[in-house]
Every structure is written in C-alpha cells, then in structure tokens.
Amino acid sequence: MKIGVIIFPGSNCDEDCVDAVRFGMKETVVKLWHNQDDLQNVDAILVPGGFSYGDYLRTGAIARFSPVMQAVAEFSLKGGPVLGICNGFQILTEAGLLPGALTKNTSLRFQCEQVMLTVENTNTPFTRLFQQDEMIQLPIAHGEGNYVIDPEDLKRLEDNHQVVFRYQQDVNGSMNRIAGVCNEKGNVVGLMPHPERNLFENTDSPLWNGAGAQFFESLKSLLAAVT
Amino acid sequence: MTQTVQGSPETLSASHSREGKSKVLTPLSGEPGLYQVTFKDAATAFNGKKFSEIPGKGRMTATISTHLFSLLHHFGIQTCWVKQGPGDNQCIYRHLEMIPLEVVVRNIALGSLCKRFNLEQGQTLKQPLVEFFLKDDAANDPQITEEMIQELNLLPNGVSLKRMKEMALKLNEIFVAYFQATDITCADFKVEFGIDAQGQMMLGDELSPDNFRLRDAQTGEVLDKDVFRLELAELVPTYEKLLARIAQVKPESLKFETLKTYQASVWVNSRKNVLSPESKTILDAIHAFGHSEVTHLEAGKQFQLVIRSANQVEAEKTLQKLSETLLSNPVIEDVHWHVCPVAVNTGEA
C-alpha cells in the first residue's frame, strides 16, 4: 500500500508523517507537492500540520485553492481515507471537506502541551483499532484550534456521531470540547492534536506512550483488509 | 424664420423640399430614393425654446456626422448616410421611413435623467441605459414605454423594440471605444431609426455633437451642444476642437476594451454568536484604560480591491463571489462589501 503526504509551503510536520508511514506502518510513502494534481494512485492521504502559505487570510484558507487540494477533494468524494492533522484539519474545514471552522484559542496564546482525549467514534479508517471511549494522550501545538460551528450543525454533528475526539477538559474554547471530527461518510477525519508526534513508547518519559501509532495501525489494517 | 415640423423631416414627401429644426431635405432630381440634406447654421435647445443663428455650424455638424457615419460603416452598421457634399454643409442621404422614436443611450447620468429620477449629475450608471422618447414637439417628446409603443402602433412590420435596443447598445460600444481613443468620455447620445424601401431597419438622422454628450476624460471640458444649452463656450470652435481630436482616430485601431475601473471594499467581522477572543481582549484593555462607556467592540478585517469590469453588475458579481467564498468563512464570519466606479470627471458642478 502507498500513503501520500501533502506538502505546502510552510508545512513542518510533513517529515513526522513520512516517518510515521515509513517506520510506524512500514509502508511506502509518497510526498505530494501542493502544486501538483496527480495523487500517484495512493491509497490514503495525510494532510500534515505546520503552516500553509503563511496562513494569510485565515489558517488553511489559501491552501484550499492549491491544485493538490482539488485532487484531494475528488479523492475524498470517492471515499478515499484522508487524515488532516492540526493545520491539515484547518485546511480540510476551509475546503468544505469537514464541517465547522477553527478560530483563535480563547487563551489567545499558541498552546503547546499534552492533552487527554476521548476517542468517541471508532468507525473511521484512522480509529478502528481504538476502543470506544478509550482515553489517549497526545500533544497539541496550535494558536487556532478553537472549534466553532453553527448550533444546528453542531447538533447534527453530535447526532451523527461525527465527533471523533473530545478533549477531557477545555483546552482552547472549542464548542463541546471538540478536538476532532469526521465527515458524514467517515472517510475524512481531522483533529488538532498530533498523533505522529507520539508514535513510540518510552517508559522513561511520561510524554511517550505510543498512542499515536494506533492511527496508522488502524489505517494499515483497513487497507490490508480491502487490498 | 424657423418652422416646427411635426415628425421627422426624413419622413416627408419625396417631391418637396422640407425643413426641420436643424436640417433641410431636398429630393435629388433623377436619383429616386436619395435626398440632399443641408445642415442649418442654427442651434436650438430645450425643444426649440432656445434658438440661435450660428454661422459655420452646418459645416461642422455635416462634417462630424460624416466622420461618425463612416465609423459605423467601417463596423458594418447600415445607415441612411451616403456621402458628404456637394457643399461642405451638405450630405446625401438614402430615403428612410422614420420611426417616430428618439432612442437615448446613457453611460453617465446627466441632463434630464437627473431631474426625472433625482440622480447626481455625473454619476456613472451601473450599466448602459436605453430609453425611448416619442418624437412629438407639441407634447414635449415624452418618455414612452414598450406597451405604449405597441398601443400607438409605432413600429413598422419586422422591427422589434428588442432589436432597436440591441442596435443602440452596439452603437454605444462603438462610440464609447471611438471617443475613448482620443480621451473623451461619451456620456450619452440620441439616435433615430427608420426603414428603407426594402423594409430594412437602419440608422437615420444625424450624428453630431448636437445629439451627444461628450466630455474630456481628464479635464471634464464640455465638447458638445451643452456649451450652447448652458452657455459655457462658443459652439463652432468647440465643435472644431472635437473634430480635430476625432479626426486622429483610425477605426481599425479601436480596442473594444470597454472595461471600467471599480473600487471595492470588503469588511469581515466575527459572527455575532461566535466568541471573538481578540475583540474581548481589546475591549478589556479599553475598560482598563478607563473607558467603561465603550460597551461593544468588534475587531475585523478590511480589504480594498480594484476591479476591472464591464459594468457595475459584473463587478458586484465578482465581489460577492470573492467575499463569500474566499475573503470570509461563513461559518465564523460576517461579510459586508461595497463597490463603486472610480469617479469620472464630467466637467459639471
């Protein structure tokens, strides 16, 4: 199987995602530049974190118009698995592939810390190996992770079980403490925390318990089942 | 001295010479269907209420009409005009059965339009405006609707108002580009149509500054009959100045780039029900600064754009699309926008 990692001018978590595929999943990885529209027949797409196009206008607003994102939109409409992490999540909401929007943290600070999350939906390509309501610890690093959505859309989101991850405590002001969501089909997932930064367990450190590895193992198990 | 002739002079009997406010038409002997048209040295305004004898005017209106008719022939528009001569205040016209309508095309609001609709003099219209007036001096040439034109049965067989309108807009496109080439703004003009012996609709009347409003695009200097109407300058030297400028323009060099420049502003704010930490923090600072009388603050973004577009409606479409899809995110933001033409100097107070 072949996993694509999108690279925008300003992406800085792309190599972490590449490593997650190469050393975590032990699968083939393809780097896809923002200005190309050929996804090279990859089986899944990772939209990594960092920044894109200076995040001018709004975070993720410009990236959405890049050729590669047009191709990603088509790929997702056909049911292809897409994971957006941090800035990748912001881009997917701006592109309309995920509901809602991400705005400034209520703290007005760039927040860089470990958070506890509940996995609330295990019917996505990236969460299928988690237990329902499993608690995991992942790092966050963002200034604009405050998830906002219309009240009616929020209700629909909750009713459809599209909230995939929820912070256990308020972190950035997100409505209903939402940390990550999926689209209606469940094939597109976005979250603010960084699973690719917590891939391996290190018993000497409380920061490293390998919770992020399950994202990539989930994807691998799904693709192995269908291919 | 002058005699008011009901209806257009060109409609009159083929056997007699007849005189209108600005032209005398004489059938050409031995040339059926052709007239010799003599442009008078007379200027009238406000439907004949203001009148002056102006030596040399006939020569200027004949010569400028000749330039403008030739321009239209270059672009394949059929007209009554055949050639200038034999005198320099004369032209040869083909006989047309005239439709008793004045067709006015306006790009900028000036003159009677401003009085009728309380518009600002010199305001650029959102898109070219076509108006119809009944040719009836006794009734003061009233504006007329499509239904009334049908009621009075004014259109000959095979002529539709839609075609006249399309034709008028086509003429506008040519005139605007032509005058623009010599840095003159064509604010509005009036034309009249008729049908020839074969029932073909074509342009009649004259094409002189008597029927146009023309302004120097830079200085706003008036280059049309308004100099006589409003007593701004001598008429003949003004027409000579205009002729000298348009004589430089080669029809084949015209660029039909009729795009205009619009200025636009877009304001983006957080939606009312969306918490804006930035606004709250600034408001807290204002309160800490001792100004508790400030009770609400909305931090936002403003964008200034310049848009090149065919008309206001097109510019608005572009701006609306940009505002609602790129410049703002409707999930979290409200957007307001405004677009207006970059001001044109009209030379009027």
Side-chain angles (χ1 to χ4, degrees):
Chain A
M1 65 190 71
K2 197 158 73 168
I3 312 299
V5 175
I6 312 286
I7 304 175
F8 295 103
S11 296
N12 60 18
C13 301
D14 46 323
E15 285 300 330
D16 304 68
C17 284
V18 166
D19 279 3
V21 177
R22 201 176 275 155
F23 304 116
M25 294 172 74
K26 299 191 171 56
E27 294 294 343
T28 310
V29 64
V30 187
K31 297 184 189 180
L32 299 166
W33 269 96
H34 62 103
N35 57 3
Q36 63 186 61
D37 56 9
D38 176 9
L39 298 185
Q40 301 181 32
N41 293 319
V42 294
D43 300 299
I45 292 282
L46 304 177
V47 189
F51 302 89
S52 50
Y53 300 94
D55 278 343
Y56 294 129
L57 202 56
R58 296 175 305 279
T59 52
I62 309 285
R64 148 195 184 187
F65 293 97
S66 60
V68 77
M69 282 310 295
Q70 317 286 332
V72 169
E74 280 173 36
F75 178 78
S76 73
L77 287 178
K78 289 184 205 146
V82 178
L83 177 67
I85 302 168
C86 194
N87 191 234
F89 183 19
Q90 294 162 341
I91 293 168
L92 293 177
T93 60
E94 278 286 345
L97 299 181
L98 287 174
L102 292 141
T103 182
K104 279 197 184 68
N105 298 345
T106 40
S107 64
L108 289 186
R109 285 187 303 108
F110 187 92
Q111 288 176 256
C112 198
E113 57 200 76
Q114 296 286 326
V115 296
M116 290 303 292
L117 304 165
T118 311
V119 183
E120 299 206 351
N121 179 340
T122 55
N123 286 323
T124 81
F126 305 96
T127 56
R128 60 200 301 266
L129 297 185
F130 285 101
Q131 303 297 314
Q132 180 70 30
D133 298 327
E134 184 175 342
M135 285 190 283
I136 58 171
Q137 177 187 310
L138 288 178
I140 57 161
H142 61 246
E144 296 183 297
N146 181 353
Y147 187 82
V148 173
I149 190 166
D150 280 339
E152 315 88 79
D153 292 340
L154 177 63
K155 184 173 183 307
R156 197 175 314 133
L157 201 69
E158 294 283 5
D159 291 349
N160 291 348
H161 305 290
Q162 284 175 253
V163 177
V164 183
F165 305 98
R166 212 184 293 274
Y167 302 110
Q168 290 188 353
Q169 292 175 332
D170 178 34
V171 167
N172 48 24
S174 290
M175 286 181 163
N176 290 11
R177 305 194 317 277
I178 290 170
V181 299
C182 64
N183 62 352
E184 279 183 28
K185 271 192 197 164
N187 62 310
V188 181
V189 176
L191 78 166
M192 290 312 296
H194 287 272
E196 82 285 12
R197 294 188 190 174
N198 185 6
L199 283 180
F200 307 105
E201 191 175 354
N202 183 338
T203 47
D204 294 337
S205 163
L207 302 184
W208 299 88
N209 60 16
Q214 282 290 69
F215 284 73
F216 302 95
E217 289 303 324
S218 291
L219 179 63
K220 186 173 179 172
S221 71
L222 175 80
L223 295 178
V226 295
T227 52
Chain B
M1 166 93 203
T2 50
Q3 157 203 10
T4 303
V5 180
Q6 285 294 330
S8 178
E10 292 90 324
T11 63
L12 303 172
S13 130
S15 54
H16 302 94
S17 177
R18 293 296 295 266
E19 186 167 346
K21 277 183 290 194
S22 61
K23 298 184 282 296
V24 181
L25 285 88
T26 314
L28 269 188
S29 53
E31 296 272 11
L34 291 184
Y35 279 88
Q36 180 183 295
V37 180
T38 305
F39 292 76
K40 289 157 65 171
D41 281 345
T44 64
F46 308 115
N47 224 354
K49 290 187 196 78
K50 186 178 168 77
F51 172 84
S52 267
E53 189 83 21
I54 301 179
K57 177 175 179 285
R59 178 173 53 84
M60 291 314 301
T61 45
T63 309
I64 293 172
S65 285
T66 293
H67 267 275
L68 294 175
F69 277 122
S70 307
L71 167 75
L72 297 182
H73 286 195
H74 176 85
F75 289 106
I77 310 274
Q78 292 190 304
T79 79
C80 62
W81 179 87
V82 179
K83 61 177 181 185
Q84 190 172 13
D88 59 6
N89 63 338
Q90 293 176 318
C91 289
I92 305 297
Y93 274 19
R94 186 175 297 132
H95 172 74
L96 297 184
E97 198 67 45
M98 293 303 289
I99 300 165
L101 290 173
E102 294 191 342
V103 184
V104 175
V105 183
R106 301 175 186 272
N107 300 299
I108 292 172
L110 288 173
S112 73
L113 182 72
C114 299
K115 290 193 200 95
R116 278 183 281 134
F117 298 105
N118 195 23
L119 294 181
E120 202 181 312
Q121 291 272 342
Q123 177 179 334
T124 301
L125 298 170
K126 288 181 180 175
Q127 51 198 332
L129 175 71
V130 182
E131 295 182 307
F132 295 94
F133 297 86
L134 178 67
K135 277 184 75 72
D136 185 345
D137 283 345
N140 236 352
D141 296 346
Q143 190 171 9
I144 188 165
T145 60
E146 183 167 3
E147 291 74 14
M148 199 60 204
I149 289 170
Q150 281 164 4
E151 175 65 33
L152 296 179
N153 216 5
L154 297 179
L155 298 181
N157 281 344
V159 174
S160 70
L161 211 59
K162 185 167 170 276
R163 251 197 77 211
M164 282 175 80
K165 208 167 157 177
E166 282 168 3
M167 186 70 164
L169 288 171
K170 176 73 190 160
L171 296 175
N172 186 48
E173 210 178 300
I174 296 170
F175 289 143
V176 165
Y178 182 65
F179 288 112
Q180 217 164 48
T182 179
D183 216 15
I184 291 170
T185 303
C186 178
D188 60 40
F189 64 87
K190 180 217 78 174
V191 287
E192 295 175 25
F193 295 95
I195 54 165
D196 70 1
Q198 284 74 46
Q200 183 83 20
M201 184 179 91
M202 53 182 78
L203 187 65
D205 198 36
E206 64 180 76
L207 295 175
S208 78
D210 283 15
N211 299 335
F212 281 75
R213 276 201 180 85
L214 302 167
R215 303 290 189 263
D216 185 291
Q218 302 304 323
T219 65
E221 185 186 2
V222 176
L223 298 168
D224 58 72
K225 199 168 76 173
D226 272 355
V227 295
F228 168 76
R229 274 193 204 100
L230 310 171
E231 297 179 4
L232 300 172
E234 290 294 325
L235 187 136
V236 171
T238 301
Y239 283 22
E240 277 171 347
K241 212 183 290 177
L242 175 72
L243 178 61
R245 285 172 73 164
I246 62 174
Q248 315 277 327
V249 182
K250 301 271 171 291
E252 54 275 12
S253 71
L254 286 194
K255 288 187 197 75
F256 283 93
E257 201 234 352
T258 50
L259 297 183
K260 296 188 203 72
T261 305
Y262 293 86
Q263 275 176 328
S265 302
V266 179
W267 294 270
V268 177
N269 286 94
S270 292
R271 273 176 66 171
K272 291 284 181 288
N273 59 349
V274 172
L275 174 75
S276 167
E278 189 180 4
S279 301
K280 187 180 176 304
T281 304
I282 297 169
L283 187 61
D284 288 349
I286 289 173
H287 291 164
F289 195 42
H291 287 279
S292 55
E293 71 271 28
V294 179
T295 61
H296 183 79
L297 178 139
E298 199 81 61
K301 282 180 267 192
Q302 189 192 356
F303 303 89
Q304 303 275 5
L305 299 86
V306 174
I307 301 176
R308 298 275 297 151
S309 202
N311 56 51
Q312 174 97 14
V313 174
E314 290 302 315
E316 284 175 1
K317 270 190 215 158
T318 303
L319 193 60
Q320 178 169 14
K321 184 175 167 206
L322 291 181
S323 298
E324 293 174 0
T325 58
L326 172 60
L327 297 179
S328 75
N329 180 337
V331 178
I332 48 172
E333 292 165 327
D334 282 328
V335 63
H336 302 280
W337 47 266
H338 174 74
V339 61
C340 66
V342 172
V344 191
N345 192 339
T346 61
E348 294 208 356

